[in-house]
Amino acid sequence: GGLAILRNPESAPRTPAMIEMRFPQGGASPLHAHAKIDDTFYVFEGEIVVRYGDDMFVARAGDVVSLTHGVPFTFLVTSEGGARVLMIHDGDSFLSLVEELGTPATEFRLPREGEFNADPETVMRLCEKYETPVMGPPLSEAEAREFLSNAGGQ
């Protein structure tokens, strides 16, 4: 689970959609692709190993990552303290997905393990509804560690 903070003021247009995301160490996304929106994010804190199409790379604090729509990607947060990113999208489909799938937080913290977990059927249904089909499992810790080891930590 992660914490999504919607950064668009209520009276502002829905695009560009700005979502601050906080992920714990081990936080990951299944392999998926956005049909119509490019996924751009700025890494405030942490280290994230990303598989984008056939490529893998590491995103760290200060990096900007731009992922083109239609290209499958997944990631895994490898930093001990988790990661904090600001996502910026030119469409609001992912924002709508977060709004429908998420549970409003009553505290500014990451969810505890098992808290606010959506069932896989609901996640899959909503991903299809918002044109973000899931295509496979998340990047595994073993794959990420092997990549980091082979890349010399770069």
Side-chain angles (χ1 to χ4, degrees):
L3 175 65
I5 303 156
L6 309 183
R7 292 296 184 190
N8 291 48
E10 278 192 36
S11 60
R14 288 182 61 82
T15 57
M18 295 179 31
I19 306 168
E20 181 181 339
M21 300 286 293
R22 293 174 184 246
F23 300 100
Q25 181 179 19
S29 171
L31 182 65
H32 68 286
H34 297 284
K36 295 181 181 172
I37 61 170
D38 294 335
D39 206 337
T40 301
F41 59 92
Y42 175 80
V43 182
F44 286 113
E45 301 168 1
E47 177 181 88
I48 304 167
V49 176
V50 180
R51 183 179 343 140
Y52 172 65
D54 293 330
D55 297 325
M56 280 182 79
F57 59 90
V58 180
R60 293 188 176 95
D63 289 345
V64 174
V65 176
S66 291
L67 307 173
T68 305
H69 68 279
V71 179
F73 72 96
T74 178
F75 66 84
L76 179 80
V77 175
T78 54
S79 47
E80 194 171 299
R84 183 170 67 101
V85 303
L86 179 65
M87 297 179 160
I88 303 168
H89 297 142
D90 60 351
D92 69 350
S93 60
F94 186 71
L95 175 61
S96 296
L97 172 67
V98 169
E99 289 172 332
E100 190 165 340
L101 186 61
T103 302
T106 57
E107 299 174 60
F108 188 71
R109 63 170 175 77
L110 285 169
R112 291 183 263 290
E113 187 152 340
E115 184 179 29
F116 305 128
N117 285 347
D119 66 274
E121 280 184 25
T122 299
V123 173
M124 296 296 278
R125 181 180 54 77
L126 291 176
C127 284
E128 288 293 329
K129 176 180 176 180
Y130 293 110
E131 300 179 288
T132 305
V134 173
M135 302 167 166
L139 184 65
S140 73
E141 186 172 337
E143 290 173 289
R145 296 287 172 211
E146 180 180 351
F147 174 76
L148 289 170
S149 175
N150 293 336
Q154 295 182 2

